[in-house]
Amino acid sequence: MEKNKLLPVSVADQPPKSQSYARRILSATFFVCLTLYAIKQLFREVVPHSHHRGLPDGVASKASCVQVPPLYPPVNDVKIGEMWEYIQTPAFRNASIVRHSGAVKIPTESFDNMGEVGEDKRWDIMYQFADYLEATFPRMHSDLKVEKVNTHGLLYTWQGSDESLKPLILMAHQDVVPVPASTVDAWTHPPFSGHYDGKFIWGRGASDCKNQLIAVMETIELFLAAGYEPKRTIVMSFGFDEEISGRRGAGHLAGFLHDRHGNNGVAAIVDEGAGFSTAWDQVFAIPGVGEKGYTDVYITVRMNGGHSSIPTDHTGIGVMSELVTMIEAEQYPTYLADENPMLGLLECGASHAPTFPKKLKKLLRKHSTKSQCKAKPDELALEAAKLGGRPVKYLMQTSQAVDVIEGGVKVNALPERTMVTVNHRINIGDTAETVFSHLTSLAKPVAEKYNLTLHAFDGTKEAASSISMYPSENTLEVAPVTPTNVDTITPYAILAGTTRAVYGDHIIVSPGMMTGNTDTRYYWPLTKHIFRYGPGYDPTWDKGLGNVHTVDERISVDNHLGMVKWFTLFVRNMDEAQLE
Ligand SMILES: *[C@@H]1O[C@H](CO)[C@@H](O)[C@H](O)[C@H]1NC(C)=O
Ligand SMILES: *[C@@H]1O[C@H](CO)[C@@H](O)[C@H](O)[C@H]1NC(C)=O
Ligand SMILES: [Zn+2]
């Protein structure tokens, strides 16, 4: 995954009070259905007449950022209670360090220029990783159905007893971003050492995202050891090329699962993604419920060559430069579409964060009561962007970056071919077509001015005396936004209640946005309820992202253990939930 900081970070909050499993249960006293009944009641109390105010359904719950109470599964099994206690022991901690460190030691790098599986030998490292998992998690490999999809895609199915319940899918990817040889020396500990220094496990993949893969497997292995029998089928789906677009891994796994479960055949998906962040003196858990779209646009200018001693007034490079200047002179608008999860995050800040800016709050109230007119500047979005800088701005704006240029071959020859690539991440509310038509309108006058034919997204990749534009094959529309209402028993409500059960109810759970893309892009037809969420949290280490994709990637062991706890409660809570 490509990660970005979702919020400006300020001070870390108090660590949550630790309680024993039994005490948590006693203090909670509810069975899950009762707790969810309480959620409904709470919702009724907080927004009693939402429909009378003329707000559409769902807006009311978003506007007030209703928090789900901590959600505990019922204690119906002593062994599960023992499992929970065991997760908190030094023995489990030590064993967990060894397991995760061992995973980091296997350099499962995926390179941009990799060939197909079976042809490119570099994929073979994945065999070693699969063997490692088999040796480390024997019960999962003996008790569950294990399938290999496109050789290295790992699929584990734990069949539930109730066929009528839609399965839960837990995802992660096996591959890691390569470590360039030139950066190896810059690492405090060698990138594939899996070194443990008393607090952190170091290495490529330590936090993106072998930690999530190992945490999921540790959880399931413990459940199997405890003799647990789920009602709801649980599927673990691990791709192996997420960092190079996921086509071979998730692309095949998602198709395989779609054949098996069909459209909307899955209850919910949790994959890597956003985690915890402190903003406005408040700790937030920010599961990614939206994902920006993506497109690279290739632009080619073809003009007649000739000798440099008798040049035309403008060469292809000059013409391209003019176009690039026009592209950069105008940015896409910064705005918050109603369905942008960032709006939910601001609402949560306004409702729960002690130092949420007053001006932002005022603009937020204005924003939610008036229907947005696209022609007018969105003052709320602009103010949020001003305060949060580029990382926040681009959660509310389609980005454009001219990243690659080539053209000209010889100093005494006019360039016949000049090419640039412009990268875009598409804002919620925009589409790939928004980008294509914008570029077309910019290129039109340039083409006319220089008497060139314009081939804008008409299938022509390049032609003589013309400007041509076409999109990359991995063009991706904005992801469908996951429902985040908590007025009924939704997967989001379960996720939020689980998070507050594990870490304490001082944590505010808020909808979040991803600027990067994850393997979930292939899973959209399977469920509306997709969460890109790293549920590990260590309050003493507010560096949540752990240097992903760069030197000194690492993970705090407490963060990792938090993840195991979270998956333990989440799996149980999802098993009890009567989803509507
Ligand atoms: C865990 O590991 C530490 C350091 O290696 C060791 O001192 C401790 O005894 C171990 N604890 C258990 C319960 O294995
Ligand atoms: C423009 O290009 C066309 C063919 O590509 C050519 O016939 C025409 O003479 C050109 N016009 C000018 C003004 O250069
Ligand atoms: Zn990742």
Side-chain angles (χ1 to χ4, degrees):
M1 179 193 54
E2 296 179 75
K3 299 193 182 184
N4 70 310
K5 206 172 249 167
L6 289 159
L7 289 167
V9 171
S10 63
V11 294
D13 207 76
Q14 297 294 313
K17 290 168 230 97
S18 95
Q19 285 180 7
S20 74
Y21 183 78
R23 274 191 44 214
R24 280 163 187 271
I25 299 305
L26 282 176
S27 64
T29 59
F30 299 119
F31 278 45
V32 79
C33 46
L34 290 179
T35 309
L36 283 162
Y37 179 69
I39 299 172
K40 284 186 170 179
Q41 288 308 110
L42 178 69
F43 179 78
R44 287 208 183 94
E45 277 167 36
V46 176
V47 277
H49 303 297
S50 59
H51 51 287
H52 294 151
R53 285 191 227 138
L55 293 174
D57 284 344
V59 171
S61 60
K62 191 160 69 176
S64 45
C65 186
V66 172
Q67 290 298 295
V68 176
L71 189 59
Y72 304 95
V75 225
N76 58 359
D77 192 326
V78 175
K79 279 188 144 181
I80 300 287
E82 286 171 2
M83 167 181 160
W84 181 259
E85 298 288 356
Y86 174 56
I87 294 170
Q88 338 236 359
T89 62
F92 181 79
R93 182 188 171 88
N94 283 6
S96 188
I97 292 164
V98 172
R99 282 187 289 262
H100 183 28
S101 167
V104 171
K105 283 177 183 154
I106 304 168
T108 52
E109 295 163 294
S110 55
F111 301 89
D112 276 334
N113 62 354
M114 248 149 133
E116 294 308 311
V117 176
E119 290 165 15
D120 194 322
K121 282 268 173 281
R122 290 176 293 179
W123 290 118
D124 291 353
I125 189 73
M126 300 294 168
Y127 287 119
Q128 200 181 318
F129 192 68
D131 289 347
Y132 174 75
L133 294 179
E134 187 162 354
T136 309
F137 303 101
R139 287 176 198 273
M140 281 190 73
H141 290 81
S142 61
D143 299 3
L144 307 189
K145 179 158 76 179
V146 184
E147 290 161 297
K148 308 270 169 84
V149 179
N150 197 18
T151 309
H152 299 303
L154 293 176
L155 191 64
Y156 301 87
T157 305
W158 193 359
Q159 187 62 48
S161 57
D162 185 345
E163 296 264 359
S164 73
L165 297 176
K166 293 178 180 178
L168 167 67
I169 300 183
L170 304 175
M171 288 170 61
H173 57 88
Q174 306 169 59
D175 62 313
V176 300
V177 173
V179 177
S182 59
T183 66
V184 172
D185 287 348
W187 285 70
T188 307
H189 303 285
F192 295 106
S193 62
H195 179 78
Y196 173 61
D197 67 1
K199 182 174 173 73
F200 298 104
I201 293 168
W202 295 70
R204 175 64 82 234
S207 66
D208 181 9
C209 64
K210 284 178 174 167
N211 55 324
Q212 194 139 341
L213 189 150
I214 296 296
V216 165
M217 295 196 78
E218 288 180 318
T219 303
I220 302 301
E221 190 78 3
L222 286 173
F223 273 126
L224 288 166
Y228 183 61
E229 289 171 6
K231 294 190 276 290
R232 184 187 299 284
T233 295
I234 304 164
V235 175
M236 276 63 64
S237 181
F238 303 138
F240 58 91
D241 63 341
E242 192 277 342
E243 301 291 0
I244 54 169
S245 90
R247 177 178 59 80
R248 303 170 186 83
H252 282 78
L253 285 159
F256 189 91
L257 287 166
H258 187 255
D259 287 347
R260 185 169 283 170
H261 302 292
N263 282 342
N264 291 314
V266 165
I269 292 175
V270 180
D271 192 11
E272 60 165 343
F276 294 71
S277 192
T278 303
W280 313 303
D281 296 317
Q282 172 61 50
V283 184
F284 292 90
I286 318 170
V289 299
E291 202 170 291
K292 290 181 86 176
Y294 185 103
T295 187
D296 292 320
V297 173
Y298 305 107
I299 307 177
T300 307
V301 173
R302 287 267 305 267
M303 289 174 69
N304 290 335
H307 202 280
S308 312
S309 56
I310 45 163
T312 47
D313 291 355
H314 300 278
T315 68
I317 291 175
V319 171
M320 183 66 93
S321 303
E322 190 166 329
L323 181 54
V324 167
T325 304
M326 288 175 74
I327 290 170
E328 291 206 334
E330 198 179 333
Q331 294 199 355
Y332 290 87
T334 314
Y335 76 97
L336 279 158
D338 284 344
E339 68 273 25
N340 191 325
M342 189 60 191
L343 202 50
L345 182 55
L346 291 172
E347 293 287 1
C348 286
S351 303
H352 300 285
T355 56
F356 188 80
K358 285 207 171 61
K359 183 171 179 196
L360 215 49
K361 201 170 194 166
K362 212 182 264 171
L363 290 170
L364 193 59
R365 293 294 159 253
K366 242 170 86 183
H367 202 273
S368 59
T369 52
K370 84 171 183 231
S371 65
Q372 288 301 302
C373 166
K374 258 199 177 180
K376 273 199 182 159
D378 185 334
E379 289 176 74
L380 172 64
L382 291 169
E383 178 67 14
K386 199 174 92 188
L387 295 174
R390 276 184 286 143
V392 172
K393 174 168 122 172
Y394 284 111
L395 296 169
M396 308 175 291
Q397 180 178 322
T398 296
S399 66
Q400 56 176 358
V402 182
D403 283 330
V404 181
I405 185 161
E406 66 191 67
V409 288
K410 216 169 174 307
V411 78
N412 61 358
L414 302 176
E416 292 175 314
R417 185 170 182 273
T418 309
M419 207 175 131
V420 305
T421 310
V422 193
N423 176 263
H424 304 85
R425 315 297 171 111
I426 304 164
N427 189 15
I428 313 286
D430 290 350
T431 62
E433 188 51 42
T434 310
V435 171
F436 302 161
S437 59
H438 176 64
L439 288 174
T440 304
S441 70
L442 293 180
K444 219 176 210 164
V446 179
E448 274 164 21
K449 183 170 167 189
Y450 298 104
N451 194 25
L452 299 167
T453 310
L454 179 61
H455 290 288
F457 308 97
D458 63 1
T460 304
K461 291 191 174 179
E462 60 180 273
S465 299
S466 64
I467 299 178
S468 313
M469 303 195 278
Y470 71 98
S472 56
E473 271 171 27
N474 60 352
T475 293
L476 187 70
E477 294 294 350
V478 170
V481 178
T482 301
T484 56
N485 58 308
V486 295
D487 51 336
T488 60
I489 302 171
T490 56
Y492 179 80
I494 307 287
L495 175 147
T498 301
T499 299
R500 301 180 88 224
V502 173
Y503 298 112
D505 61 7
H506 63 292
I507 303 272
I508 297 298
V509 182
S510 161
M513 253 285 276
M514 308 286 294
T515 51
N517 298 115
T518 64
D519 267 347
T520 59
R521 79 187 74 174
Y522 298 99
Y523 287 73
W524 297 349
L526 283 155
T527 179
K528 287 191 292 224
H529 304 280
I530 296 179
F531 303 98
R532 302 126 185 115
Y533 187 37
Y537 174 54
D538 173 359
T540 70
W541 184 54
D542 205 1
K543 272 214 170 170
L545 300 181
N547 283 23
V548 301
H549 293 206
T550 182
V551 297
D552 282 351
E553 180 174 345
R554 62 193 181 278
I555 187 83
S556 98
V557 172
D558 285 341
N559 178 302
H560 180 70
L561 296 174
M563 229 184 220
V564 178
K565 288 184 202 166
W566 189 88
F567 278 111
T568 301
L569 289 197
F570 184 69
V571 164
R572 285 291 289 111
N573 282 335
M574 280 296 288
D575 212 40
E576 297 297 327
Q578 321 241 314
L579 298 173
E580 286 176 18

